[in-house]
Amino acid sequence: MKIGYIGLGLMGGPLARNLIRAGQNVLVYDLNNDAIARTLAAGTTGSAAAKAEDMADCDVIFTSLPLPVHIKEVMMSEHGLLTKMKQGSIYIDVSTIDPTTAEEIENFAKARGVGFVGCPLGKGPAQAEKAEEPIFAGGDKATFEKVLPILNRVGAPVHYLGGVKQAYAFKVISNMIGMTNLAVLAEGLHLGNQAGIDAKQFLELLAETGANSFQLQVRGPWIVNNDFANRFGVSLALKDVRLGCEMADSWGYDARFTKQAKKFYEQAEQKGLGREDCNAVYKVL
């Protein structure tokens, strides 16, 4: 089986490397040559494509790209890969996009005899590198079952949610909750500082209360240690909460808490913090 992988950034790179480590025949492509080199260093079964179109004969193609517009350009444009892929091949996307775009991609692929499975991811680059990235899959069940052995090589656990709408909606909602929680945590840390509570003790004690959370456990210590290195950047966080607010609006629901959090991430980006980790929202609260 020949696998193509487009997009070797913080998330895509580790997943592609997991495939190479597993001995899969993987053809990779990215605009960044350093990202290609890091990925190919994972083993001997990977090779680089000169351009994305060179992957047209692959049996399975992955994409891990920043925005819906990038996916549409690479896969659905006049010369996009979905117009060139062979009948019966399968396209897997692990990006974070909105459910409406996902359904549009699925219909576009189906009309050309290509299967589509949406597989947004649950955690960060560290988990992805160890093949411990939760995967939330959606799409035709038979197509999903065909690629399940491949998905099990790139991450775990793999959850099947039904359609692509459910898979991508879950990921967007998860990020809405996580990023809003992070903003509240940042606010709480400022208040704890105002109260004169030792920051490290503050985190330890919060973990024993109803305020405990993934963001507290992971990003709380980073904030206290002034560690804002980019694991999941402000700009990506803003993109995801924006997608969530737009998704909610399209369903007639006013996501008020997320909209408030979005304002803080917008301020952080406006202050030039877009390439710092999303915990940099602490700096604008």
Side-chain angles (χ1 to χ4, degrees), residues 59-239:
D59 302 292
V60 175
I61 292 178
F62 282 81
T63 55
S64 180
L65 298 170
L67 296 169
V69 65
H70 299 135
I71 295 173
K72 286 187 174 183
E73 180 180 348
V74 171
M75 302 302 298
M76 299 171 63
S77 63
E78 181 180 356
H79 302 291
L81 266 173
L82 282 172
T83 67
K84 303 175 184 299
M85 291 173 66
K86 57 190 177 184
Q87 295 273 316
S89 58
I90 299 174
Y91 167 38
I92 301 172
D93 174 63
V94 300
S95 314
T96 300
I97 60 175
D98 60 281
T100 299
T101 298
E103 291 182 318
E104 184 180 349
I105 294 169
E106 181 178 47
N107 291 334
F108 190 92
K110 185 178 180 180
R112 288 153 182 81
V114 177
F116 175 62
V117 181
C119 294
L121 309 171
K123 292 186 179 178
Q127 293 81 15
E129 199 71 60
K130 296 184 288 186
E132 296 175 355
E133 188 73 33
I135 295 173
F136 308 107
D140 174 72
K141 186 66 177 293
T143 304
F144 164 74
E145 290 176 346
K146 286 180 183 178
V147 297
L148 182 57
I150 298 173
L151 296 177
N152 282 328
R153 293 182 184 276
V154 299
V158 179
H159 304 280
Y160 179 70
L161 280 78
V164 295
K165 176 182 179 180
Q166 287 75 38
Y168 284 103
F170 175 82
K171 174 58 190 293
V172 171
I173 295 166
S174 171
N175 281 8
M176 290 168 69
I177 294 170
M179 292 302 101
T180 302
N181 176 255
L182 177 58
V184 173
L185 172 63
E187 187 171 76
L189 282 165
H190 278 293
L191 287 171
N193 182 58
Q194 290 290 321
I197 304 171
D198 176 80
K200 291 184 179 179
Q201 183 184 31
F202 186 69
L203 294 180
E204 292 170 358
L205 296 179
L206 282 180
E208 298 180 12
T209 74
N212 195 17
S213 69
F214 173 85
Q215 299 295 355
L216 171 68
Q217 296 288 341
V218 175
R219 287 191 162 86
W222 295 346
I223 293 173
V224 168
N225 292 317
N226 290 312
D227 180 357
F228 301 100
N230 189 357
R231 287 88 165 181
F232 182 69
V234 164
S235 292
L236 285 177
L238 175 58
K239 182 264 290 188

Side-chain angles (χ1 to χ4, degrees), residues 235-252:
S235 292
L236 285 177
L238 175 58
K239 182 264 290 188
D240 287 358
V241 295
R242 184 182 291 126
L243 283 177
C245 292
E246 292 172 353
M247 178 183 74
D249 285 342
S250 73
W251 294 341

